[in-house]
Structure formats: structure tokens, C-alpha cells
Amino acid sequence: MAWFKHPRDIRVGVIGYGGAFNMGRQHLNEAQKAGMTPAVVCEIDPKRLEVARTDFPGIQTFDDVNRMLAQAPVDLVLHITPHNLHFPLALKCLKAGKHVVTEKPFVLTTAQCDKLIAQARRSRRMVSTYHNRHWDGWIRRAVDQVVRQKVIGEVLRINAWMGGYGMPREWWRSSKPISGGILYDWGVHLLDYSLQLLPGARLTEVSGFAHDGFWAGRMPRSHPRKNDCNEDDALVIARFDTGQMLELSVSSIRSYERPGTMEIVGTRGSYTFDFSSFRLNLPQHGKDARSGKPTNMLHSGPHWDSQGYRFYQNIADHLCGRADLIITPEWARRPIHILDLANQSARAGRAMKARYA
Ligand SMILES: NC(=O)c1ccc[n+]([C@@H]2O[C@H](COP(=O)([O-])OP(=O)(O)OC[C@H]3O[C@@H](n4cnc5c(N)ncnc54)[C@H](O)[C@@H]3O)[C@@H](O)[C@H]2O)c1
């Protein structure tokens, strides 16, 4: 379906123009580079609205989403707010007939994913999630080597991890009800990477484990996260119908530097990477010419370039009927379903079966 003739006809609005990483500016810059037209910023913090006006002179600004929807000429609304607001605000925008992009995570629960997907169908509008890291150089290279070229044979297992040791900061990201929990920030990126390495695999079951209370117990009473802090440490094990498995852990009490961010174990070797380089280990890859003994091959090197700008190029092309949507809401639902089941499993103390819409 083509909603627009030309990307410049797509008037873009942003909800949330926060200062933590200046993501509002990044989104509008990337949308503009993809040919679309920055039109509106809606933000409840007047100081940040001032920043938006400096970044994009002449842009229309609002401090209330309802007023923006009633008054602003906007076609596509980008949601760059704390995680718990993605669902209610995206639903409101879809009902108002706007196309929607949420920042990651898409939303917090599977039920919320399904409601947004259903509303987008009813409203005949697009909904997608800003998985800009889908095109990170390290995962682009890993997908090429592991999935296309099958250099490590059949993939058996993926381990992904993130974290360190330290008391959670006072910001909303450390609040379980607002953020979704310790797994929902970087964990969503790591799951997006992992699922690219498991094409065709259907999730069957998830086990989640979580520890909490350590940091909360040590926070002073004045710490705003004392009563709603994220878990200290969480682990997810996901099973797939292919027999493959995926383990994800994120921690604030991991007290050693574990090298790498992801390890992919295959029948013929393993591929690990961090944010600067990859290592490919192929045991018994060849034979030593003199002794005839099997030799190992170790190959390491830098990553490919990252191409996060392709996200908004695809959105513009899709809205103009020139391309299929790459980050479909069904794709964005996959990591959320794993995290939602992990939360339920950690509470219930047993594995949870996957559910498809
Ligand atoms: N993809 C990435 O690489 C990446 C990087 C950083 C952040 N993020 C994501 O971006 C989102 C926002 O994170 P952030 O770091 O920009 O947070 P932030 O706290 O800096 O910004 C959030 C902004 O939303 C505003 N806001 C809250 N409620 C609002 C409402 N009802 N109407 C209008 N504005 C409202 C706040 O005032 C704040 O300025 C999160 O989903 C986060 O995970 C993604």
C-alpha cells in the first residue's frame, strides 16, 4: 500500500525530546535524511522544547499529546518516551489515524503488542519500532558469516550478556514499572541480534530467573528507585522448535569483565563479538602439513560499518509503497514476547509456553 507519493509529504512528529541521549534530535535528523519533513515536537519539559526549537528552527511545539493530535499537521508520530508510555501513547496516535514508530522496546507486554498490531490493522496505518541496532556492523557481519556463509556449521546456542557492578542510577530506566525491568533496555537489542541469527526458528518455551533487593536494600531512603527498583540480575533461557537455545543475561551485580557481548556456538566452531571486534574459532579446521594433526583456525578482526540510518530509509520507502517494512510489528513482538514470558516465569518459578497471535 502507498500512503504517500514522496517522502517529503510525510510530516513527522516526535513525542519526547529528552536529554539523556538526545534521541529526539537523532530521530528527526535521520527522518530528515530519509527525505521526510520534521514538523512537530511534543514534550512536557519546557527546557527540552526550547532545545527542539533551536535544533529545528520553525518547528511546531506542544506540551500535550491530545492538543498535538487535535491541532498539528502530522502523519507519522515517533515515540521517544520512557518505556511504559509507548503503549498508551502509540495506541492513541494509531486511533487518531497517525502512522507510528515507537522507540525500543516496542511495548512492555505481549498483550500490548497484540493490541497495537490489531489497532494498526483497524486504522490501516503502519506501526514499527526503532530497531536501529538491527544494522549494527557487528551483527551485520555475524549474520553474513553465521547465517549466509554458515562458517560455524549449524547454530546450536546463542549466549548474550550485558552489565557490570553498581547501584542503579536514579533515572526512570532503573524503575521496574516504568522500564519493564533490567532486561528491557539493552536486552531488547541483544534479542534483536540473536533472533537475526536464528532465522526460521519458532519460540516454544521461556524460563526466566531474577534476583532483586540487593541494591534496593542498600539505597538511601531518598533514592527515588528505592521502592520500584529493577532486578539486580536476570537471566532468560529460550527454547526454539529447531532445538536451538538462547540465553540472555543482564546484571548490575556482575563483578567481573566478561569479554564479548555475544557468543554463537555452532557444530563446527564458535563466533564471538564485542563492540570492537569479532573472533571466529574453527577447531580442527585443517591438518598440519608435517605432523598431519588437526589444526585450529582463529580469525579475528574489525566489524563492518553500522547502518542504523537504514531504519528511516525503509520507513519512508514503505510509506511511499516502494518497499516492504523490515521492522514489522510482528518482528518487534518477538523480543517482547520472550521478555514478557521471562518475567512471568521468574514470578511463577516454572517455564512458560510461547503464544502466537
Ligand atoms: N535505539 C537506541 O539506540 C536508543 C538509545 C537511547 C534511548 N533509546 C530509547 O528512547 C526512549 C527514550 O529514552 P531517552 O533516553 O530519550 O529518555 P529521556 O528521559 O532522555 O527522554 C524521555 C522524554 O520523554 C518526555 N516525556 C515523558 N512523558 C511525556 C509525555 N506524556 N509527553 C511528551 N513527552 C513526554 C520526558 O520529559 C523526557 O524528556 C526509550 O524507549 C529508550 O529505550 C533508544
Side-chain angles (χ1 to χ4, degrees):
M1 185 189 298
W3 285 278
F4 301 91
K5 262 200 179 151
H6 194 277
R8 69 172 166 264
D9 303 334
I10 307 168
R11 297 162 301 183
V12 182
V14 156
I15 301 179
Y17 204 84
F21 298 96
N22 271 311
M23 292 309 288
R25 183 186 298 158
Q26 175 169 323
H27 279 256
L28 281 184
N29 278 334
E30 286 183 5
Q32 196 167 35
K33 278 190 193 134
M36 298 183 277
T37 305
V40 183
V41 172
C42 178
E43 164 62 61
I44 53 175
D45 178 349
K47 286 195 200 115
R48 294 302 304 168
L49 275 184
E50 206 42 59
V51 175
R53 284 191 282 266
T54 307
D55 290 345
F56 295 90
I59 202 153
Q60 233 185 321
T61 53
F62 290 85
D63 61 6
D64 178 79
V65 174
N66 291 326
R67 246 197 326 277
M68 179 195 84
L69 288 174
Q71 298 171 12
V74 62
D75 306 297
L76 166 64
V77 182
L78 320 177
H79 296 255
I80 319 176
T81 59
H83 300 169
N84 63 332
L85 295 179
H86 292 184
F87 173 69
L89 296 180
L91 187 66
K92 194 185 274 272
C93 290
L94 285 170
K95 284 184 174 171
K98 310 300 176 189
H99 299 281
V100 161
V101 168
T102 72
E103 251 292 355
K104 46 56 60 173
F106 184 18
V107 284
L108 296 184
T109 66
T110 316
Q112 291 176 345
C113 294
D114 293 341
K115 282 182 189 157
L116 283 193
I117 292 170
Q119 186 59 51
R121 285 197 192 119
R122 266 196 299 276
S123 298
R124 295 174 191 264
R125 291 295 179 270
M126 177 206 75
V127 61
S128 180
T129 293
Y130 186 66
H131 273 299
N132 56 330
R133 291 191 171 280
H134 194 79
W135 290 272
D136 277 345
W138 35 94
I139 190 62
R140 291 180 57 236
R141 192 182 192 290
V143 168
D144 177 73
Q145 296 285 293
V146 172
V147 178
R148 293 200 191 97
Q149 299 194 42
K150 289 190 171 286
V151 292
I152 59 168
E154 297 305 317
V155 173
L156 305 179
R157 170 165 65 80
I158 295 179
N159 282 51
W161 62 92
M162 186 66 73
Y165 191 88
M167 185 178 283
R169 286 172 61 177
E170 297 189 357
W171 59 1
W172 62 258
R173 273 184 170 69
S174 314
S175 157
K176 172 101 178 152
I178 301 176
S179 72
I182 194 170
L183 293 165
Y184 273 75
D185 193 2
W186 254 97
V188 171
H189 290 307
L190 295 175
L191 288 176
D192 173 71
Y193 295 160
S194 302
L195 293 168
Q196 290 189 65
L197 295 162
L198 300 171
R202 231 171 125 78
L203 182 72
T204 55
E205 187 184 90
V206 174
S207 293
F209 305 83
H211 183 278
D212 52 24
F214 178 79
W215 287 121
R218 282 157 182 78
M219 285 172 179
R221 254 193 233 130
S222 58
H223 196 296
R225 303 281 72 97
K226 176 125 186 108
N227 296 315
D228 71 353
C229 187
N230 277 347
E231 307 88 331
D232 301 310
D233 184 86
L235 170 80
V236 181
I237 297 173
R239 285 177 193 275
F240 295 84
D241 63 351
T242 47
Q244 294 163 306
M245 69 88 93
L246 158 61
E247 185 195 274
L248 164 71
S249 63
V250 182
S251 183
S252 61
I253 50 171
R254 176 176 285 142
S255 58
Y256 65 99
E257 282 297 317
R258 185 178 176 186
T261 293
M262 283 190 66
E263 173 189 70
I264 307 143
V265 177
T267 47
R268 290 171 175 278
S270 70
Y271 189 100
T272 58
F273 66 80
D274 59 21
F275 296 139
S276 56
S277 61
F278 70 89
R279 284 169 74 86
L280 172 63
N281 273 288
L282 298 176
Q284 302 179 0
H285 185 66
K287 286 210 165 98
D288 183 83
R290 266 203 232 145
S291 67
K293 285 187 181 160
T295 55
N296 293 353
M297 188 179 110
L298 175 67
H299 182 50
S300 64
H303 295 301
W304 289 357
D305 61 320
S306 291
Q307 301 180 342
Y309 62 86
R310 286 171 60 185
F311 176 81
Y312 276 116
Q313 280 185 350
N314 176 251
I315 295 289
D317 286 344
H318 178 67
L319 290 174
C320 293
R322 298 178 199 151
D324 289 339
L325 189 60
I326 296 175
I327 307 298
T328 61
E330 290 78 15
W331 175 267
R333 180 191 190 272
R334 296 186 69 193
I336 303 306
H337 193 37
I338 292 175
L339 297 182
D340 187 8
L341 292 174
N343 262 332
Q344 293 175 35
S345 163
R347 277 197 302 270
R350 61 183 168 81
M352 294 287 160
K353 297 282 176 220
R355 191 170 57 74
Y356 291 89

